[in-house]
């Protein structure tokens, strides 16, 4: 390379390196302080635990902020933690029958409380069921919570931006100088090289945009004089809490005894056991909580991966089987050394050894057997399709395929784990990725599946889960309010979900042929209601009764108005397998047989008639 080119490259490189050096010095100068702790003290301050977590962790919001906020809500009687056995992992969260005054709650405290209320079934949710099942929602929820904690700390004068206006202005000015340096180097290179295209301006512009973009990124928070003073006091509280060895081994339910001390202990990192139990991040996909059936229970989920049949459509399996049969037949009958090698017998009456021919024959025979096995199982899989209704436990990408042209891979298959209430273990199904947007975790779905290939061939959402109510932020700016009198759609007022008892326990017991009891009632979004009938002996779900009103009722009717028509029941009724539906006015009712009750579908028309009678009575009232 020419010396002049090296000189121009060095000038441009030094200009950028000078800016990066200044940026590094700015980060070094503005790094958060680590104040020495005050003497150990049991005196708590007025700062909330989430802000305390920020201060003692050098102005970084960690997972302790959300966890300590939950414990603080329990200490202030907004919720209750109960541990029914010796295992802290079995701790449950209970909401009080009468909610305390929430006017003094901070935004992040409302966020945590809203998540608990949204997931609770009958006012109860297992503590370890508060984790997320979708990575995007987990990141969004925690990001908003961190922003709310930082805003609270800034409002109290305990924290500030790490790069203030002065530092940012200096970095932008230096970025202008660096851009001029790279632009001058590019201009000089174009002059002596007789280049027709002078790239000085584009080079300078790109340099300026990149460097100012880096300067605009927030590197976090830093201390203030008041913040350092308060942090030192809380470090003294941490020293006092760590001086009690038994404090680190306290379970979450001990908040009833230790009151807010346990919450602040979690905030400063002094509660080993409690912090290990509490988690508001991503959950474990192999052990998922389910509320299907009206009671919380954990389900172990297996995710098949290695066998090529899993999630594959029938056409793919048939093509594979035919290819194996064709190649196997060619090796056995057509290629030299196939069947002919078996007749290669010498004069002594014994077959001469032929390792190559024997190997070819063995491979061909194995391919024939595998192709035949694949063909038979694929056709049997088609003949043994079945329908399952249950709660969506987990949904994530299984397989992706590249689209070429350096484009990112596009998913074509998703895992879908469903709990149908029949066992505490299940295996995820293969869901075509174009259907993945239809459902979310917690939804009640009916899927038609092929058991051997674990392939879903049809999916219908029959009830929306509680997670849909938690996708929007619990607090925060939701955008500008439309001006008064501005035209726009007027939302319809949905009819309240049906509250009358549509079926008695005696009627369901007679229809299903075994004693039953009712589970917890459901009311989702103000338009979907439902009741589950459980086995009186084993507590397993047997019958799901769902009522849908408003616009969702029309969608539910379209999805369920198929099969055998049942005249004379409501405004229309149909039965299809283990499911039956009726329409009455703006309400759609769906009955679904579950678990051991499957096969008792001959009683569904009678159960529908009972529901129609009582539903009509309620509508007249």
């Amino acid at each position: 390379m020419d010396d002049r080119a090296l000189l121009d490259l060095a000038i441009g490189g030094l200009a950028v390196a000078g800016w990066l050096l200044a940026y590094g010095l700015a980060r070094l100068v503005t790094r958060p302080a680590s104040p020495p702790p005050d003497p150990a003290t049991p005196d708590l301050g007025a700062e909330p635990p989430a802000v305390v977590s920020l201060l003692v962790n050098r102005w970084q919001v960690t997972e302790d902020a959300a966890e300590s906020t939950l414990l603080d809500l329990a200490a202030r009687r907004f919720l209750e933690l109960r541990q029914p056995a010796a295992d802290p992992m079995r701790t449950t969260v209970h909401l009080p029958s009468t909610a305390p005054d929430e006017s003094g709650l901070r935004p992040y405290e409302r966020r945590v409380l809203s998540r608990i209320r949204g997931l609770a079934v009958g006012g109860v949710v297992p503590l370890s069921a508060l984790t997320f099942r979708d990575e995007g929602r987990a990141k969004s929820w925690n990001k908003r919570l961190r922003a709310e904690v930082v805003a609270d700390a800034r409002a109290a004068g305990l924290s500030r931006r790490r790069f203030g206006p002065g530092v940012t202005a200096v970095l932008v000015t230096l970025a202008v100088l660096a851009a001029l340096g790279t632009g001058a180097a590019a201009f000089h290179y174009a002059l002596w090289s007789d280049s027709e295209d002078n790239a000085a301006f584009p080079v300078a512009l790109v340099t300026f945009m990149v460097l100012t973009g880096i300067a605009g990124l927030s590197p976090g928070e830093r201390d203030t004089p008041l913040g350092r003073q308060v942090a030192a006091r809380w470090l003294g509280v941490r020293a006092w809490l760590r001086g009690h060895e038994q404090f680190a081994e306290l379970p979450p339910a001990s908040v009833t005894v230790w009151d807010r001390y346990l919450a602040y202990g979690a905030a400063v990192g002094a509660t080993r056991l409690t912090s290990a139990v509490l988690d508001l991040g991503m959950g474990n996909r192999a052990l998922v909580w389910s509320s299907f059936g009206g009671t919380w229970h954990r389900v172990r989920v297996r995710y098949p991966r290695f066998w090529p049949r899993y999630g594959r459509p029938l056409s793919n399996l048939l093509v594979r089987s035919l290819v194996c049969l064709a190649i196997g037949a060619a090796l056995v009958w057509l290629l030299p050394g196939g069947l002919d090698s078996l007749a290669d017998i010498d004069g002594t009456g014994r077959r001469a050894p032929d390792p190559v021919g024997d190997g070819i024959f063995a491979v061909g025979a194995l391919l024939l057997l595998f192709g035949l096995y694949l063909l038979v199982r694929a056709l049997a899989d088609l003949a043994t399709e079945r329908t399952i209704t249950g709660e969506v436990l987990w949904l994530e990408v299984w397989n992706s395929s590249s689209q070429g042209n350096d484009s990112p891979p596009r998913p074509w298959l998703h895992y879908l784990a469903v709990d149908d209430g029949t066992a505490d273990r299940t295996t995820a199904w293969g869901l075509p990725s174009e259907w993945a947007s239809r459902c979310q975790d917690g939804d009640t779905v009916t899927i038609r599946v092929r058991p051997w290939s674990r392939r879903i061939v049809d999916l219908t959402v029959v009830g929306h889960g509680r997670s849909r109510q938690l996708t929007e932020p619990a607090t925060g700016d939701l955008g500008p309010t439309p001006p008064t009198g501005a035209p726009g759609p007027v939302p319809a007022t949905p009819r309240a979900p049906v509250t009358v008892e549509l079926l008695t326990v005696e009627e369901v017991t007679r229809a299903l042929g075994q004693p039953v009891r009712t589970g917890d009632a459901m009311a989702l979004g103000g338009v979907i209601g439902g009741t589950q009938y459980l086995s009186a002996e084993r507590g397993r779900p047997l019958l799901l009764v769902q009522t849908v009103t408003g616009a969702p009722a029309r969608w539910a009717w379209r999805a369920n108005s198929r099969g055998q028509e049942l005249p004379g029941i409501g405004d229309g009724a149909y039965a299809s397998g283990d499911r039956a539906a009726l329409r009455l006015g703006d309400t759609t009712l769906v009955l679904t047989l579950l678990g051991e009750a499957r096969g008792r579908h001959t009683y569904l028309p009678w159960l529908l008639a009972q529901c129609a009678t009582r539903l009509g009575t309620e509508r007249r009232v």
Side-chain angles (χ1 to χ4, degrees), residues 423-443:
D424 59 358
R425 293 176 182 269
T426 188
T427 301
W429 301 92
L431 176 71
S433 293
E434 60 266 23
W435 297 350
S437 60
R438 295 185 184 180
C439 60
Q440 295 183 8
D441 59 89
D443 287 351

Side-chain angles (χ1 to χ4, degrees), residues 243-258:
H244 297 73
E245 296 182 1
Q246 72 277 16
F247 189 80
E249 304 304 320
L250 292 175
S254 63
V255 69
T256 56
V257 177
W258 282 80

